[in-house]
Amino acid sequence: MRKVNAVVTALIMVLFTVHMVRGILVLTGMTAGGGAIYTALTHLLLTLIAVHVVLSVSLTVKTLFTSRRAGVLYLKPNRLFWIRRISGFALMLFLISHILIFRGTTVSGAYRLNLFGGAQLATQLLLAASLLVHLIGNISPLRIALGIEDRHAFRTDLLLVLAILLLLAGAAFVVYYIRWSTF
C-alpha cells in the first residue's frame, strides 16, 4: 500500500506542478482560464488526491492501532510523522477552500468567479504555506519509497523548485487579489 501511495504522490506532484504553473498564468492575467484539457487534468489531480488521502488515512490508522497495541505512542520521537499528518490535514482544509473559491458559476452564459477578498487571499496563502511544510516533511520518505538513490542535491533542488513555484503562486494570489479589488 505504501508503494502505491508513493506512485500516486509522484503523479500528484507532476499534475500539481502543471496546475500551479497554469494557475499562476491565469491569476496574473497572462493567459485565459478554462479549457477542456486543463479541466480534465484538474479532475484527475483531485481524484489522485482523494486516493492519496484514503491511503494515507488507512496507513495512519494502522500505525495508531500498532502503537496502541504496543502501549506507547512515542510522540516526541515521531514528531516528523505527526507534522506530516497535521500538515496534510491542514492542506485538505485549505484545498477545500481553494475549490470553493475558484469553482465559480455560469451566469447568462458568462463564467463568474466567486468573491476574492482578504479572507480568501489569506486562505490561499495558508494553502501554499501548508503545502510547503507538507512537501518538506515528505520528500525524503517519498524518495525512499520510490527507490530513488539518496542524493541530497536532488532532494534540495526539487524542494527549491517547488518552493519557488509556491512563492510565485503566493505572489499570483496577491496579484489576483489586487486585480479583483481594483476592477
Side-chain angles (χ1 to χ4, degrees):
M1 187 177 339
R2 290 184 194 282
K3 186 72 164 183
V4 171
N5 200 19
V7 170
V8 167
T9 301
L11 291 171
I12 287 170
M13 289 178 70
V14 169
L15 288 173
F16 173 73
T17 302
V18 170
H19 180 78
M20 189 169 33
V21 169
R22 170 76 179 190
I24 290 167
L25 295 173
V26 170
L27 290 177
T28 56
M30 293 181 195
T31 188
I37 294 173
Y38 180 68
T39 301
L41 288 176
T42 301
H43 288 139
L44 177 59
L45 175 61
L46 285 173
T47 302
L48 289 173
I49 289 171
V51 169
H52 177 65
V53 167
V54 168
L55 292 173
S56 296
V57 167
S58 173
L59 290 168
T60 301
V61 168
K62 185 178 175 182
T63 299
L64 290 174
F65 277 126
T66 302
S67 296
R68 183 180 171 123
R69 212 172 318 138
V72 183
L73 279 176
Y74 298 108
L75 290 175
K76 198 167 187 175
N78 291 321
R79 285 183 297 225
L80 188 55
F81 171 84
W82 290 109
I83 289 169
R84 292 176 187 140
R85 295 324 185 258
I86 292 167
S87 66
F89 182 73
L91 195 52
M92 290 312 307
L93 294 176
F94 295 126
L95 180 62
I96 291 167
S97 75
H98 182 76
I99 293 167
L100 293 174
I101 290 168
F102 289 104
R103 87 176 169 189
T105 56
T106 303
V107 179
S108 302
Y111 186 74
R112 303 279 183 221
L113 286 172
N114 297 317
L115 169 71
F116 196 79
Q120 289 80 4
L121 174 62
T123 62
Q124 299 315 289
L125 293 175
L126 289 170
L127 170 69
S130 63
L131 182 58
L132 186 59
V133 169
H134 196 65
L135 286 169
I136 289 170
N138 284 292
I139 287 290
S140 288
L142 176 63
R143 179 191 49 75
I144 292 166
L146 292 174
I148 297 172
E149 219 177 290
D150 187 15
R151 299 208 186 275
H152 181 72
F154 171 77
R155 184 176 59 233
T156 305
D157 290 347
L158 180 61
L159 282 173
L160 178 63
V161 168
L162 290 171
I164 289 169
L165 284 173
L166 285 167
L167 178 64
L168 290 173
F173 286 129
V174 171
V175 167
Y176 182 68
Y177 171 75
I178 291 168
R179 290 176 62 214
W180 183 275
S181 299
T182 57
F183 295 106

